[in-house]
Amino acid sequence: MPLNGIPPTVTLGALQQKRECASGRTYADYGFWGGLMPGHLKDLPLLAQAGVIGFKAFMSSPGDKDKEAFRRSDDRTLKEGMRIIAETGKVLALHAEHEPIVARLTREARSQGHLGAESYTASRPIAAEVEAVETALRYAAESGCRLHFVHISSGATAERIREARNSGLDVTLETCPHYLCLTDSDFAAMGAVAKCAPPLRNAEEQDKLWNKLQEGWFDFLASDHSPCPAELKTGTDMFEAWGGIAGVQSTLELMLDEGHLKRGIPLPQLARLLSGAPAERFGLDPVKGRIAIGCDADLAVVDLNTSYTLQASDLYQQHRTSPYIGRPFGCKVKKTLLRGRIMYNDSEGLLNPGNGRELGAVYSGAMNISL
C-alpha cells in the first residue's frame, strides 16, 4: 500500500524506492499500489504506466501526523483523481469514512476527556462509513472509475454497495477477519492492539457480516494488515494509539477455522474470497488465484485436524503484535509453495528467501490521459 512509510507512493521516485527495498528480499510475489493524494494528480498516469496494481485513497485522515506522510483526499482531489484513474483502467481502492463526521465526533470526545475504546468506536459510526460510500459511488457514476471498497465493517454499507453494483457500477467490496472474529467488546478488553478504522462493531453487526458473506455479498476477504512497533500500541488514549490490526499471517487460518470448520462455508467459496476474486479484480488472473494448468503453483497446505494456540513466537512479521495471540485455532498451515517451490513448512519455518517477484497488472487499453 502507498502509506505506512515515508515517502508515500505518490511519485515515481517513491515507487522506485519501494521496488529497491523489496527486490531480492521477499517470500511471496507482490505488487505495488499507487496513492491518490492532494498535490499529486499529475503523478497518477505516470504511476499507472510504471505498473502499479491500482490506487488507494483515504476519505478520512489516515492519522499520521508527519507532514510528509500520506494524506486524505478532499472532494476535489477525489473527483478529479477518479476521472484520471478511470482513463488508466486501474482500480481505486477507498478507505470510506466521512471525515466531517469523524472529525467532529473526535473533537467532542477528546474535549470531554473521553479517550477509551468505547469513545473511539462511537466517533466512527456506521453512518460515517455509509456517507463516504455514497459520496464515492456518486463520483464513480460520473467518472466511470472502477472502485473497490476496502475493510467494510457494516451490513448497511454492504447493502448500499450491492445496490450500486446492481445498477451497473463497476464496484467491489471486501471485509476483514477482524470484523468477523472480533467485536467492540474485544477492543474494550484488549486495548490498542485491537484498534482499527473503521472500528470493530458489536456482535449483532458481526452476525450481519457473516450472513452477507455466506450469501455472496462480499467479493474478497482481506487482512488490511497494518503493523507497527509495539510501543505504538500502548496507553489508554485510543485516539492517539496506532490504528491498524496486524493479521496477515492469521488470515487464512482464521477464515478456515471460523468460516469452514465452525460455520460450514464451503472451501471453494473461501478460496475464491481469499485468492481467486482478488486475482481477477487486479488483473493477475492469467497466472494467479487458481489451481489450474498454466497457473503458478502458489499453494497452502493446511491440516484441518490440527489445533494450536498462536504465540508471539509463531509470528514472522517484524513487529510481533497481534490481537490473535493466545487464540486457539482449529487448523494449521503446514506448508506453503511459491511457483512450486517450498517457502515455508511448520518444522523449519521460512525457507528460500528472495524468490518473490513483482507482479504487473494486465492492462490492454491505451493511456491517452488528459490532465
Side-chain angles (χ1 to χ4, degrees), residues 75-86:
D75 281 358
R76 189 195 73 81
T77 299
L78 189 61
K79 288 183 72 173
E80 182 62 10
M82 289 172 72
R83 182 189 68 78
I84 296 170
I85 292 168

Side-chain angles (χ1 to χ4, degrees), residues 25-28 248-249 313-318 320 332-338 341-355:
R25 300 179 62 190
T26 70
Y27 293 84
V248 66
Q249 183 175 323
S313 58
D314 296 322
L315 296 173
Y316 287 94
Q317 64 210 42
Q318 181 175 353
R320 295 183 178 184
K332 194 174 194 302
V333 173
K334 305 293 285 186
K335 186 181 299 185
T336 64
L337 289 82
L338 173 65
R341 175 173 291 186
I342 296 174
M343 304 301 292
Y344 164 85
N345 66 52
D346 66 340
S347 60
E348 299 173 274
L350 294 174
L351 305 167
N352 298 311
N355 281 286

Side-chain angles (χ1 to χ4, degrees), residues 67-205:
K67 65 180 181 179
E68 300 299 323
F70 197 74
R71 304 193 309 279
R72 78 175 184 93
S73 292
D74 56 81
D75 281 358
R76 189 195 73 81
T77 299
L78 189 61
K79 288 183 72 173
E80 182 62 10
M82 289 172 72
R83 182 189 68 78
I84 296 170
I85 292 168
E87 295 185 41
T88 73
K90 302 288 184 179
V91 175
L92 174 63
L94 278 175
H95 176 120
E97 289 183 290
H98 189 59
E99 176 66 13
I101 294 176
V102 171
R104 175 178 59 81
L105 293 176
T106 296
R107 286 195 303 270
E108 291 175 359
R110 293 188 65 80
S111 68
Q112 298 169 23
H114 299 158
L115 307 177
E118 184 177 352
S119 297
Y120 173 78
T121 299
S123 75
R124 308 183 89 97
I126 290 172
E129 188 176 63
V130 172
E131 178 69 22
V133 163
E134 290 180 342
T135 298
L137 290 172
R138 287 197 303 273
Y139 295 167
E142 295 169 4
S143 66
C145 184
R146 302 165 66 210
L147 288 185
H148 176 68
F149 288 102
V150 297
H151 50 61
I152 292 300
S153 69
S154 67
T157 316
E159 290 172 5
R160 182 65 190 89
I161 297 169
R162 183 182 177 92
E163 291 171 2
R165 180 162 53 197
N166 289 342
S167 72
L169 286 186
D170 187 346
V171 57
T172 48
L173 71 158
E174 70 186 43
T175 192
C176 306
H178 44 271
Y179 297 120
L180 296 166
C181 300
L182 300 170
T183 67
D184 55 353
S185 296
D186 294 304
F187 181 21
M190 294 179 178
V193 72
K195 176 191 172 181
C196 57
L200 299 174
R201 306 299 185 187
N202 60 33
E204 180 181 359
E205 199 62 45

Side-chain angles (χ1 to χ4, degrees), residues 210-263:
W210 275 114
N211 289 337
K212 293 188 182 306
L213 182 79
Q214 290 176 283
E215 293 168 3
W217 286 47
F218 286 99
D219 299 287
F220 310 168
L221 284 166
S223 70
D224 193 33
H225 185 64
S226 183
C228 70
E231 58 267 25
L232 299 184
K233 282 288 196 181
T234 59
T236 57
D237 186 343
M238 292 300 106
F239 291 92
E240 285 296 316
W242 179 273
I245 286 177
V248 66
Q249 183 175 323
S250 299
T251 293
L252 177 60
E253 290 175 343
L254 278 167
M255 292 299 91
L256 293 180
D257 185 20
E258 292 288 338
H260 178 66
L261 296 178
K262 295 179 180 177
R263 289 175 173 82

